Amino acid sequence: MIYLDNGISVYSGRGYRLDPKRCVRDCINLISHAHFDHVPSSFNSPAIICSDITRSLIEARTGSSIPCGPCSCETVTLHDSGHVPGSSMFLINGDKRILYTGDFNTRKKYFSDGAKPVKADVLIMESTFGREKYVFPPTEEVFGEIKDWIDDNAARGLNSIIYAYSFGKAQEVISALSGYTVYASRSVIEINRTLGKFDLDISAMPLPEDLKGPDVVVAPSGSRNSPEIKKIFKAGAKSASVSGWALDDGHKYAMRVDRAFPLSDHADYSELIGFVEKVSPDLVFTLHGFDKEFARDIRDKLDIEAAPLKKRHLSLSNFTGDV
């Protein structure tokens, strides 16, 4: 049985909760990574599995103490999902081999060679960018454009403010801008400090009282109205957003920035399709984003049974007779 209920509920020989909203005592709880939308609100269970980096980040970001760490369950193995540092895919070896990707990315990053397909009977996967229009340009090309934009701003005496998630995107941007003077908001610096414990050296300086410039500032978009960012704009600055949604025409205007660059921690459409093909499952469940459209494309293009994950799916046999 696989269905949406307190995260994703899976029964395959025993009970599992994948990215639960709250951890439960009667199941194995699997936490894929430390983005807040995947972090449980409570950890009242002795059976919690995640990577060491994910555990440390959750504890640093929430103040909670959680008993998760290296996998100690003989039916579960962790695999790098390539999404953010510490993010994991989970392979459950129960009645069937079930692979849960969580959020994932197959492109090479500063901390990872990207997610690698693992053979499974059932694949539960994200479909955030599950439409054909969402195919990202090469990462090197995107950062080349970002550097050109920064250089143009500097030539005009302007600071460059890059809005990026505090965890994941911010570190990728900072790593790619080695050679530039990069300052970061407090939330980004705190994440960098935790990652430093795992030999991930992300070099950025805390924002000073007065930024002389022209320099580069990396901060979450939610900080745009903070006194520090307002002061930088007053001194002269241009702003940019880095997001996979930058492929949408309206993203730049919705984010109220001067430029938008298509850079994502998620797999794009071509990666999603290629991943399914290489895993070669009998059945795929999609969730997030364009789940219905992507499930249809899996059926039409790969001839693999697929459906968006819903609440209260009865059993795997509802979809294929021999799975």
Side-chain angles (χ1 to χ4, degrees):
M1 296 177 66
I2 301 176
Y3 56 90
L4 291 177
D5 177 33
N6 185 22
I8 302 169
S9 178
V10 172
Y11 186 83
S12 183
R14 65 193 303 179
Y16 305 85
R17 283 290 198 285
L18 315 182
D19 283 331
K21 301 297 182 184
R22 60 192 181 283
C23 293
V24 293
R25 299 186 66 86
D26 60 343
C27 291
I28 305 297
N29 300 272
L30 310 178
I31 304 173
S32 65
H33 65 285
H35 277 153
F36 282 131
D37 59 338
H38 288 257
V39 173
S41 60
S42 64
F43 304 93
N44 185 28
S45 172
I48 300 174
I49 297 173
C50 65
S51 71
D52 285 340
I53 294 179
T54 295
R55 183 195 67 236
S56 292
L57 285 166
I58 290 174
E59 290 181 342
R61 302 186 86 187
T62 67
S64 301
S65 178
I66 56 176
C68 62
C71 181
S72 58
C73 175
E74 70 281 0
T75 59
V76 177
T77 54
L78 280 68
H79 300 265
D80 180 13
S81 79
H83 177 57
V84 291
S87 62
S88 301
M89 303 189 296
F90 298 102
L91 181 66
I92 298 171
N93 288 281
D95 297 334
K96 296 292 180 181
R97 288 167 59 87
I98 299 172
L99 178 64
Y100 171 58
T101 66
D103 292 341
F104 79 108
N105 163 43
T106 65
R107 300 180 303 281
K108 184 177 177 63
K109 286 177 169 282
Y110 65 98
F111 65 90
S112 169
D113 288 330
K116 306 300 180 187
V118 180
K119 293 294 183 182
D121 303 304
V122 180
L123 174 61
I124 307 171
M125 67 183 300
E126 66 138 316
S127 49
T128 303
F129 291 105
R131 272 188 179 171
E132 288 184 302
K133 67 172 284 187
Y134 294 108
V135 175
F136 307 134
T139 302
E140 298 80 6
E141 179 182 313
V142 175
F143 277 117
E145 293 181 2
I146 291 174
K147 291 174 182 178
D148 287 344
W149 175 76
I150 291 171
D151 293 342
D152 288 344
N153 292 339
R156 299 162 58 193
L158 298 172
N159 293 298
S160 300
I161 301 174
I162 300 176
Y163 293 125
Y165 293 137
S166 295
F167 172 42
K169 198 77 64 63
Q171 288 72 37
E172 183 170 14
V173 170
I174 293 168
S175 297
L177 295 181
S178 59
Y180 288 82
T181 301
V182 180
Y183 295 92
S185 66
R186 184 180 305 165
S187 61
V188 175
I189 295 294
E190 289 173 355
I191 294 291
N192 293 354
R193 187 176 297 118
T194 301
L195 293 177
K197 299 175 184 177
F198 297 90
D199 297 324
L200 284 172
D201 183 21
I202 313 297
S203 299
M205 295 180 290
L207 277 172
E209 285 293 324
D210 290 299
L211 192 67
K212 303 300 182 183
D215 290 310
V216 181
V217 175
V218 177
S221 60
S223 67
R224 69 169 69 245
N225 293 320
S226 68
E228 296 87 354
I229 298 298
K230 285 184 175 180
K231 185 183 292 187
I232 296 168
F233 272 116
K234 189 174 182 180
K238 292 291 185 179
S239 62
S241 169
V242 288
S243 170
W245 302 114
L247 291 178
D248 290 337
D249 293 336
H251 178 77
K252 181 175 77 171
Y253 306 103
M255 293 297 295
R256 293 180 287 139
V257 293
D258 300 295
R259 289 288 302 273
F261 299 100
L263 184 73
S264 180
D265 292 330
H266 295 261
D268 70 7
Y269 182 87
S270 59
E271 293 174 81
L272 293 171
I273 282 287
F275 194 83
V276 176
E277 189 171 22
K278 290 175 182 176
V279 172
S280 188
D282 298 310
L283 174 63
V284 179
F285 289 117
T286 58
L287 70 157
H288 306 316
F290 302 103
D291 54 351
K292 296 182 181 65
E293 295 94 326
F294 188 60
R296 179 199 62 210
D297 285 357
I298 292 171
R299 295 192 301 269
D300 292 347
K301 294 183 177 184
L302 302 179
D303 195 26
I304 294 174
E305 186 63 42
L309 195 60
K310 298 178 181 178
K311 292 184 178 180
R312 302 300 176 188
H313 276 327
L314 296 178
S315 70
L316 301 182
S317 63
N318 289 110
F319 296 91
T320 60
D322 57 354
V323 172

